[in-house]
PDB file of all heavy atoms in Angstrom:
ATOM      1  N   ARG Z 307     -27.273 -16.501 -15.563  1.00  0.00           N
ATOM      2  CA  ARG Z 307     -27.996 -15.224 -15.406  1.00  0.00           C
ATOM      3  C   ARG Z 307     -27.113 -14.118 -15.152  1.00  0.00           C
ATOM      4  O   ARG Z 307     -27.144 -13.060 -15.859  1.00  0.00           O
ATOM      5  CB  ARG Z 307     -29.009 -15.378 -14.345  1.00  0.00           C
ATOM      6  CG  ARG Z 307     -29.877 -14.095 -14.118  1.00  0.00           C
ATOM      7  CD  ARG Z 307     -30.797 -14.368 -12.954  1.00  0.00           C
ATOM      8  NE  ARG Z 307     -29.891 -14.317 -11.702  1.00  0.00           N
ATOM      9  CZ  ARG Z 307     -29.402 -13.206 -11.100  1.00  0.00           C
ATOM     10  NH1 ARG Z 307     -29.638 -12.059 -11.798  1.00  0.00           N
ATOM     11  NH2 ARG Z 307     -28.758 -13.399 -10.069  1.00  0.00           N
ATOM     12  N   LYS Z 308     -26.094 -14.365 -14.289  1.00  0.00           N
ATOM     13  CA  LYS Z 308     -25.119 -13.376 -13.911  1.00  0.00           C
ATOM     14  C   LYS Z 308     -24.291 -12.988 -15.195  1.00  0.00           C
ATOM     15  O   LYS Z 308     -23.769 -11.784 -15.285  1.00  0.00           O
ATOM     16  CB  LYS Z 308     -24.301 -13.686 -12.767  1.00  0.00           C
ATOM     17  CG  LYS Z 308     -25.113 -13.721 -11.457  1.00  0.00           C
ATOM     18  CD  LYS Z 308     -24.269 -14.059 -10.227  1.00  0.00           C
ATOM     19  CE  LYS Z 308     -25.081 -13.992  -8.916  1.00  0.00           C
ATOM     20  NZ  LYS Z 308     -24.260 -14.423  -7.830  1.00  0.00           N
ATOM     21  N   LEU Z 327     -16.747 -22.571  -8.160  1.00  0.00           N
ATOM     22  CA  LEU Z 327     -15.780 -23.406  -8.709  1.00  0.00           C
ATOM     23  C   LEU Z 327     -14.471 -23.261  -8.216  1.00  0.00           C
ATOM     24  O   LEU Z 327     -13.979 -22.185  -7.828  1.00  0.00           O
ATOM     25  CB  LEU Z 327     -15.825 -23.033 -10.304  1.00  0.00           C
ATOM     26  CG  LEU Z 327     -17.132 -23.205 -11.085  1.00  0.00           C
ATOM     27  CD1 LEU Z 327     -17.019 -22.527 -12.378  1.00  0.00           C
ATOM     28  CD2 LEU Z 327     -17.530 -24.697 -11.247  1.00  0.00           C
ATOM     29  N   ASP Z 389     -13.378 -21.708 -25.959  1.00  0.00           N
ATOM     30  CA  ASP Z 389     -13.670 -20.328 -26.503  1.00  0.00           C
ATOM     31  C   ASP Z 389     -13.048 -20.293 -27.953  1.00  0.00           C
ATOM     32  O   ASP Z 389     -12.100 -19.687 -28.168  1.00  0.00           O
ATOM     33  CB  ASP Z 389     -13.255 -19.272 -25.757  1.00  0.00           C
ATOM     34  CG  ASP Z 389     -13.666 -17.887 -26.212  1.00  0.00           C
ATOM     35  OD1 ASP Z 389     -14.393 -17.909 -27.393  1.00  0.00           O
ATOM     36  OD2 ASP Z 389     -13.440 -16.818 -25.706  1.00  0.00           O
ATOM     37  N   ALA Z 434      -8.165   3.808 -30.629  1.00  0.00           N
ATOM     38  CA  ALA Z 434      -8.911   3.655 -31.859  1.00  0.00           C
ATOM     39  C   ALA Z 434     -10.010   4.571 -31.965  1.00  0.00           C
ATOM     40  O   ALA Z 434     -10.299   4.799 -33.147  1.00  0.00           O
ATOM     41  CB  ALA Z 434      -9.493   2.084 -31.758  1.00  0.00           C
ATOM     42  N   ILE Z 538     -10.876  11.347  -2.350  1.00  0.00           N
ATOM     43  CA  ILE Z 538     -11.920  10.602  -3.031  1.00  0.00           C
ATOM     44  C   ILE Z 538     -12.314   9.436  -2.059  1.00  0.00           C
ATOM     45  O   ILE Z 538     -11.452   8.813  -1.510  1.00  0.00           O
ATOM     46  CB  ILE Z 538     -11.262   9.828  -4.272  1.00  0.00           C
ATOM     47  CG1 ILE Z 538     -10.649  10.951  -5.278  1.00  0.00           C
ATOM     48  CG2 ILE Z 538     -12.279   8.977  -4.969  1.00  0.00           C
ATOM     49  CD1 ILE Z 538      -9.738  10.434  -6.339  1.00  0.00           C
ATOM     50  N   LEU Z 614      -0.123   4.368  17.599  1.00  0.00           N
ATOM     51  CA  LEU Z 614      -0.942   5.101  18.553  1.00  0.00           C
ATOM     52  C   LEU Z 614      -2.447   4.690  18.715  1.00  0.00           C
ATOM     53  O   LEU Z 614      -3.065   4.612  19.750  1.00  0.00           O
ATOM     54  CB  LEU Z 614      -0.958   6.661  18.310  1.00  0.00           C
ATOM     55  CG  LEU Z 614       0.484   7.255  18.696  1.00  0.00           C
ATOM     56  CD1 LEU Z 614       0.527   8.744  18.124  1.00  0.00           C
ATOM     57  CD2 LEU Z 614       0.750   7.258  20.069  1.00  0.00           C
ATOM     58  N   THR Z 789      11.568   6.789  30.649  1.00  0.00           N
ATOM     59  CA  THR Z 789      12.227   7.981  31.285  1.00  0.00           C
ATOM     60  C   THR Z 789      12.445   7.582  32.798  1.00  0.00           C
ATOM     61  O   THR Z 789      11.469   7.287  33.409  1.00  0.00           O
ATOM     62  CB  THR Z 789      11.447   9.336  31.205  1.00  0.00           C
ATOM     63  OG1 THR Z 789      11.201   9.482  29.939  1.00  0.00           O
ATOM     64  CG2 THR Z 789      12.358  10.444  31.715  1.00  0.00           C
TER      65      THR Z 789
END
Side-chain angles (χ1 to χ4, degrees):
R307 183 186 66 77
K308 289 182 177 179
L327 295 169
D389 186 0
I538 304 169
L614 289 175
T789 312

